[in-house]
């Protein structure tokens, strides 16, 4: 028998998790609303719907610990095959990080078919530039700025960290980041299958540029690559070869493989009461808290 509101909400989340494979359309809204309702029990400062790109109507949400001072900051990019997803669905990620002393920024970016690669990368870079310019307003330390993403969002975060062209549009370099966290990210996903939409165009250059592994040269910030071994959407090979390349180029990359964990469960470990799905939250916090601050004092262009 469930004897509390907390217990009832956790039961709702358990039922929603059982239907995770069916997340489409309105079903996804219901699922993430359930997860978000549980997250609301945490006491963090939320500022939602902040416009960072008025021209394209792009907004972001900020989740900060009460009384944050010189806190690390993470800009999170959600997945959805570069075609789906809403930032409000990932309130639970922002809440989980803020509840452990990390300021979380969850950002919009434009999606296919409205845009193709690399336009959404420009959106991501502008979100990072805005965050770095405003981090102190939320109690953040600009030298401890991380990018993070799940699935397609992992590819976005990795390209920001490895391909210097994107952050350059806001006057930054990859090494201005303290680190990158990839959660079941897509880093080396060629060849495409026939049904793959032309998100990255149909020319060789676009497809080459879409692969973060092609830009690992040892000058990227430290990377943490989290991956479930039972992921049938983004195969573990992506994280494994990305870590190997970084290490071969004298870069820093930590690879964490979670046995029996699938593509969605690895991120749902951030939801309240579901850390048992994987140690992803704990490993993320350990990485953020142990990674040295970036030494640069550069500020982004506005």
């Amino acid at each position: 028998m469930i004897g509390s509101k907390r217990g009832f909400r956790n039961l709702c989340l358990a039922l929603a998790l059982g239907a995770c494979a069916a997340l489409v359309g309105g079903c996804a809204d219901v699922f993430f609303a359930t997860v978000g309702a549980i997250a609301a029990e945490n006491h963090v400062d939320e500022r939602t719907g902040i416009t960072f790109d008025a021209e394209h109507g792009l907004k972001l949400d900020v989740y900060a610990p009460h009384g944050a001072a010189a806190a690390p900051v993470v800009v999170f990019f959600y997945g959805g095959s570069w075609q789906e997803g809403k930032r409000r669905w990932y309130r639970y990620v922002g809440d989980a990080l803020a509840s452990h002393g990390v300021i979380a920024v969850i950002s919009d970016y434009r999606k296919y078919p409205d845009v193709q690669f690399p336009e959404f990368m420009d959106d991501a870079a502008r979100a990072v530039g805005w965050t770095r310019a405003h981090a102190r307003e939320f109690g953040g330390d600009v030298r401890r700025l991380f990018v993070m993403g799940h699935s397609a969002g992992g590819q976005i975060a990795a390209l920001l960290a490895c391909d210097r062209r994107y952050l350059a549009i806001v006057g930054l370099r990859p090494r201005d980041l303290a680190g990158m966290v990839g959660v079941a990210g897509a880093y080396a996903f060629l060849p495409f299958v026939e049904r793959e939409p032309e998100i990255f165009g149909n020319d060789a250059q676009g497809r080459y540029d879409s692969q973060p592994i092609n830009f690992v040269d040892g000058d990227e910030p430290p990377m943490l690559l989290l991956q479930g071994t039972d992921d049938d959407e983004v195969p573990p090979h992506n994280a494994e070869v990305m870590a190997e390349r970084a290490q071969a180029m004298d870069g820093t990359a930590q690879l964490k493989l979670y046995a029996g964990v699938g593509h969605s469960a690895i991120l749902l470990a951030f939801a309240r009461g579901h850390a048992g799905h994987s140690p992803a939250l704990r490993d993320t916090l350990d990485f953020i808290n142990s990674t040295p601050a970036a030494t640069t004092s550069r500020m982004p262009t506005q």
Side-chain angles (χ1 to χ4, degrees), residues 6-302:
R6 181 190 298 268
F8 175 73
R9 285 178 171 175
N10 283 339
L11 174 61
C12 290
L13 179 55
L15 293 173
L17 285 169
C20 186
L23 289 185
V24 291
C27 182
D29 281 317
V30 172
F31 171 77
F32 287 109
T34 302
V35 178
I38 296 168
E41 292 187 78
N42 281 336
H43 299 290
V44 303
D45 296 329
E46 299 182 17
R47 285 186 58 185
T48 60
I50 301 171
T51 299
F52 72 90
D53 184 342
E55 179 182 357
H56 299 111
L58 300 177
K59 300 181 179 182
L60 51 77
D61 301 334
V62 179
Y63 302 84
H66 284 317
V73 184
V74 170
V75 184
F76 176 83
F77 300 100
Y78 53 80
S81 299
W82 304 276
Q83 302 171 79
E84 301 171 340
K86 301 175 183 179
R87 70 180 190 278
R88 70 170 183 266
W89 290 354
Y90 297 89
R91 180 188 185 193
Y92 73 97
V93 175
D95 179 84
L97 292 171
S99 296
H100 291 86
V102 178
I103 297 171
V105 177
I106 300 179
S107 175
D108 283 336
Y109 57 91
R110 289 172 292 166
K111 303 173 187 69
Y112 181 86
D114 293 334
V115 298
Q116 289 180 297
F117 176 82
E119 289 177 272
F120 53 78
M121 290 302 309
D122 295 340
D123 302 339
R126 290 189 179 96
V128 173
W130 184 96
T131 299
R132 198 167 192 273
H134 294 270
R136 291 190 179 94
E137 298 172 18
F138 304 97
D141 183 348
V142 296
R143 301 170 306 156
R144 302 176 70 199
L145 176 61
F146 296 77
V147 290
M148 176 179 177
H150 173 245
S151 193
Q155 182 245 15
I156 292 172
L159 280 175
L160 290 172
C162 298
D163 186 341
R164 60 181 59 89
R165 289 176 292 182
Y166 300 115
L167 287 180
I169 71 173
V170 292
L172 297 173
R173 302 167 298 190
R175 277 290 185 173
D176 293 323
L177 301 173
M180 188 280 288
V181 181
V183 186
Y187 318 116
F189 51 93
L190 288 177
F192 291 102
V193 296
E194 286 186 10
R195 62 181 176 82
E196 187 76 27
E198 293 184 353
I199 296 169
F200 303 103
N202 54 12
D203 63 353
Q205 188 63 49
R207 296 193 173 196
Y208 179 91
D209 288 351
S210 70
Q211 308 299 293
I213 195 170
N214 292 333
F215 300 94
V216 175
D217 60 7
D219 194 41
E220 55 280 344
M223 296 187 289
L224 173 65
L225 308 176
L226 309 178
Q227 180 68 47
T229 61
D230 282 7
D231 192 331
D232 57 4
E233 293 188 44
V234 178
H237 170 79
N238 281 261
E240 292 167 347
V241 297
M242 187 70 165
E244 290 172 2
R245 177 68 62 86
Q247 292 159 4
M249 300 300 292
D250 296 326
T252 302
Q254 300 179 39
L255 173 63
K256 301 283 187 178
L257 295 173
Y258 306 135
V261 173
H263 190 69
S264 297
I266 192 171
L267 190 62
L268 289 170
F270 285 71
R272 174 182 285 272
H274 286 269
H277 281 272
S278 79
L281 174 58
R282 183 194 68 204
D283 288 341
T284 297
L285 294 169
D286 287 347
F287 175 74
I288 290 170
N289 291 325
S290 64
T291 299
T295 57
T296 180
S297 60
R298 291 158 60 96
M299 292 301 294
T301 57
Q302 295 297 298

